[in-house]
Amino acid sequence: MLKQILGKLPKKSSKSDAPDSDGSNSGNNSIHLGTFTNSCNVVSTRLNVVKRMSSVIFPSNNTAGAEMVEPHVSFNDAPNTEKQNLFVSKLNLCCTVHDFSNFDKNCAEKDLKRQALVELVDFVSSGSAKFTEPAIASTCKMCATNLFRDFPSKCRSYSSRGETEDDEPMFDPAWSHLQLVYDLLFRFISYSSLDVKVAKRYLDDAFILKLLNLFDSEDPRERDCLKTILHRVYGKFMVHRPFIRKAVSNIIYCFVFETERHNGIAELLEIFGSVITGFAVPLKEEHKMFLWRALIPLHKPKSVGAYHQQLTYCVMQFVDKEPRLASTVVNGLLKYWPVTSSQKELMFLSELEELLEKINMAEFEKIMVPLFRRVACCLNSFHFQVAERAHFLWNNDEILNFIMHNRQVILPLVFPALHRNTQNHWNQAVLNLTQNVRKMFCEIDEELVLACQSKFEEENSKSIVVAERRQLTWERLETAAAFQPVACVVAC
């Protein structure tokens, strides 16, 4: 219809709107269009909509024969038949990435892009969008162009992250655009009518891997958005679940055994906390390997404080599903037990108490000897908080029940530590706790306490004798060396 109507109109002169040689416009240009009013309603509507505000027109990608639509037109001004093409056109417009290191540069273009992003988010939120394959492709392309980027060089060390909370977070200057892109990506993935079979061709393994790499961002707002999006991807795209688990495992391996530098371990573990909750029982071997090779070694880095709460939750989810895994986790804790960090010791003791609440008697007996050797060291710690936390294990009724059932093995392991505390520990609170623990053992099995006391005194006497003999041996050696002639070396 449009071509037929335009075909009846006279062609313009090569010099548009220029006067003729006699000083007047051509008579052909004064044709009255009133007779075509009823026939040209469609034409007039389109001419009002298509406002030439820019010389750049973005065609609908991957759409054969699709008409080009001006991207700066508002969705409210566009007819319903053109909104889908306008949606794709706006997505293409937003593929332009601006430099936010200089806020005064390209301000107009930045404002236009931000307005387009706002309109895209509102359009998808309203449920009016139709995610056809061209729209899916354009959405993924726009998100990839804006989000997948190289982070600026790190200007501070990761090693102290999580040890203290004094470090101020670093915020991305482009967040005003990135936030809208993340919002659009989340709404796209959550869209009820999204065809997952089509979307997975564009939201593929490469896209997800680059999305996971963004978790190293120093901006906590970005990591929080990524956490929500990845969780939704894992829930909706079942085909990608094995790849996501494997990719996250690789990130953890690299963090633990190579760099010890990553900003998003806490967020990744928070996602996997809910993922592990959905694992079926009995657990698959792949899932147990994730516990053994990824979660337990995460206790090793210095920055464990940054993610210890999320790590403990993930570990406890495994133990809740299969309690016999508790002994494996305890052995892992003992393997990575901190020697010089009192803060880490406090974290480990707290996690240990939670594990011992879930363990059964058979599993407890497997690990009680190495466990209480370590607890004995903590009882003697000169850091009073560590010593107090170790004594508090006796305040837990479930753990106390395990200890008293196996007191014949456990008391000889911890008695020397309790005795040394009563003799020379500097902190009065620790002395009081030690006396309470000894009193508790005496009330239950005084004969065993006396036997341990006698054995300790006997071993202490032997150690004193050995020390005296060693001292005498060194004195004899020193005396003998004093009477030896000094050898003079004559230079030739």
Side-chain angles (χ1 to χ4, degrees):
M1 176 66 73
L2 178 60
K3 292 181 179 180
Q4 294 175 356
I5 296 173
L6 294 177
K8 298 179 181 180
L9 295 177
K11 294 184 180 180
K12 289 187 177 182
S13 171
S14 59
K15 296 181 181 180
S16 178
D17 297 330
D20 291 333
S21 57
D22 60 354
S24 61
N25 289 334
S26 173
N28 291 335
N29 289 340
S30 62
I31 294 179
H32 183 62
L33 298 178
T35 56
F36 297 99
T37 300
N38 295 331
S39 303
C40 295
N41 287 334
V42 177
V43 176
S44 60
T45 302
R46 288 199 50 147
L47 292 176
N48 288 331
V49 170
V50 183
K51 301 174 182 178
R52 286 174 168 77
M53 299 174 61
S54 170
S55 60
V56 181
I57 306 295
F58 293 88
S60 302
N61 289 346
N62 304 323
T63 307
E67 297 184 20
M68 294 184 293
V69 180
E70 168 59 49
H72 296 293
V73 177
S74 171
F75 282 107
N76 295 330
D77 297 332
N80 293 332
T81 55
E82 293 297 331
K83 284 184 177 180
Q84 192 61 27
N85 287 337
L86 179 60
F87 176 63
V88 176
S89 184
K90 285 182 179 291
L91 287 169
N92 291 329
L93 171 67
C94 294
C95 286
T96 304
V97 179
H98 299 288
D99 180 14
F100 281 84
S101 59
N102 185 356
F103 284 99
D104 297 328
K105 185 179 180 181
N106 299 328
C107 292
E109 290 84 352
K110 291 176 184 176
D111 290 341
L112 286 174
K113 179 181 174 181
R114 190 177 189 283
Q115 182 60 35
L117 287 170
V118 170
E119 292 180 359
L120 287 169
V121 172
D122 292 341
F123 184 64
V124 175
S125 302
S126 67
S128 303
K130 296 179 181 179
F131 281 104
T132 59
E133 185 166 356
I136 292 173
S138 297
T139 302
C140 292
K141 177 186 175 183
M142 189 276 291
C143 293
T145 303
N146 284 273
L147 301 179
F148 301 156
R149 64 205 190 279
D150 293 328
F151 293 118
S153 58
K154 307 297 185 298
C155 58
R156 64 174 183 235
S157 173
Y158 286 80
S159 59
S160 62
R161 291 181 64 84
E163 298 289 333
T164 64
E165 296 181 358
D166 297 335
D167 291 337
E168 299 237 347
M170 297 182 67
F171 299 109
D172 197 310
W175 184 245
S176 59
H177 284 192
L178 293 176
Q179 182 181 19
L180 292 168
V181 176
Y182 277 119
D183 194 6
L184 180 63
L185 179 58
F186 174 74
R187 294 179 187 279
F188 161 67
I189 295 170
S190 306
Y191 211 68
S192 58
S193 61
L194 179 66
D195 190 342
V196 175
K197 292 183 179 179
V198 176
K200 72 181 181 181
R201 295 204 292 267
Y202 300 92
L203 206 76
D204 55 3
D205 290 349
F207 188 98
I208 291 173
L209 185 60
K210 292 180 180 179
L211 201 66
L212 287 170
N213 290 336
L214 292 175
F215 275 91
D216 198 22
S217 170
E218 292 200 22
D219 194 328
R221 302 169 300 180
E222 182 167 16
R223 298 198 303 270
D224 192 58
C225 289
L226 287 164
K227 177 182 66 178
T228 307
I229 289 170
L230 184 63
H231 191 276
R232 188 57 57 92
V233 170
Y234 190 91
K236 193 159 190 174
F237 295 83
M238 296 183 65
V239 68
H240 291 321
R241 290 182 180 181
F243 177 80
I244 293 174
R245 292 196 296 267
K246 183 178 179 181
V248 172
S249 296
N250 289 336
I251 291 174
I252 293 175
Y253 299 154
C254 183
F255 167 69
V256 173
F257 300 109
E258 295 182 14
T259 65
E260 288 198 12
R261 297 181 175 185
H262 201 282
N263 294 301
I265 298 297
E267 286 79 9
L268 290 172
L269 289 176
E270 192 168 340
I271 296 169
F272 267 75
S274 58
V275 169
I276 296 167
T277 304
F279 286 166
V281 178
L283 293 172
K284 296 180 181 179
E285 194 67 20
E286 175 207 344
H287 300 155
K288 294 179 185 178
M289 295 298 287
F290 180 74
L291 171 65
W292 299 330
R293 295 184 177 180
L295 294 184
I296 292 178
L298 272 173
H299 291 86
K300 177 185 175 183
K302 296 178 182 179
S303 58
V304 65
Y307 55 82
H308 185 259
Q309 182 180 357
Q310 293 86 353
L311 177 59
T312 301
Y313 181 79
C314 289
V315 170
M316 294 309 300
Q317 291 299 308
F318 273 104
V319 176
D320 283 338
K321 289 185 175 297
E322 288 196 15
R324 62 191 180 86
L325 292 173
S327 60
T328 303
V329 177
V330 171
N331 282 326
L333 282 177
L334 296 176
K335 177 181 178 181
Y336 295 108
W337 198 275
V339 178
T340 59
S341 174
S342 299
Q343 291 181 345
K344 285 183 69 175
E345 274 195 290
L346 291 171
M347 296 177 207
F348 277 46
L349 285 167
S350 298
E351 185 175 355
L352 182 63
E353 183 173 357
E354 289 189 51
L355 288 167
L356 293 178
E357 290 177 352
K358 302 290 184 180
I359 204 170
N360 56 45
M361 185 65 73
E363 297 297 320
F364 178 82
E365 291 174 354
K366 292 179 183 178
I367 48 90
M368 62 182 178
V369 173
L371 171 62
F372 279 90
R373 282 176 180 161
R374 174 54 62 186
V375 171
C377 295
C378 295
L379 292 172
N380 281 148
S381 174
F382 285 106
H383 193 291
F384 75 97
Q385 290 179 324
V386 174
E388 281 183 340
R389 194 69 187 79
H391 282 85
F392 288 160
L393 294 176
W394 274 262
N395 293 345
N396 189 303
D397 293 336
E398 295 181 14
I399 299 175
L400 181 62
N401 181 51
F402 289 139
I403 293 173
M404 292 310 170
H405 273 82
N406 298 276
R407 60 184 180 275
Q408 298 290 339
V409 177
I410 294 174
L411 183 56
L413 295 173
V414 300
F415 187 85
L418 296 173
H419 183 79
R420 282 191 288 270
N421 274 0
T422 58
Q423 296 298 316
N424 57 12
H425 202 284
W426 65 273
N427 187 271
Q428 187 61 44
V430 174
L431 287 174
N432 294 336
L433 289 170
T434 300
Q435 291 171 358
N436 291 337
V437 172
R438 289 194 62 171
K439 182 179 179 181
M440 193 181 304
F441 277 115
C442 287
E443 291 175 353
I444 294 176
D445 196 336
E446 185 176 1
E447 183 178 349
L448 178 61
V449 173
L450 293 175
C452 291
Q453 176 75 29
S454 176
K455 184 178 180 181
F456 173 76
E457 291 175 353
E458 180 183 350
E459 291 179 350
N460 192 44
S461 299
K462 289 181 179 179
S463 64
I464 292 174
V465 172
V466 171
E468 290 176 351
R469 288 178 180 175
R470 186 184 299 111
Q471 182 64 29
L472 288 173
T473 302
W474 278 110
E475 289 177 357
R476 286 197 297 269
L477 289 171
E478 290 173 358
T479 302
F483 287 99
Q484 292 294 324
V486 178
C488 296
V489 178
V490 180
C492 296

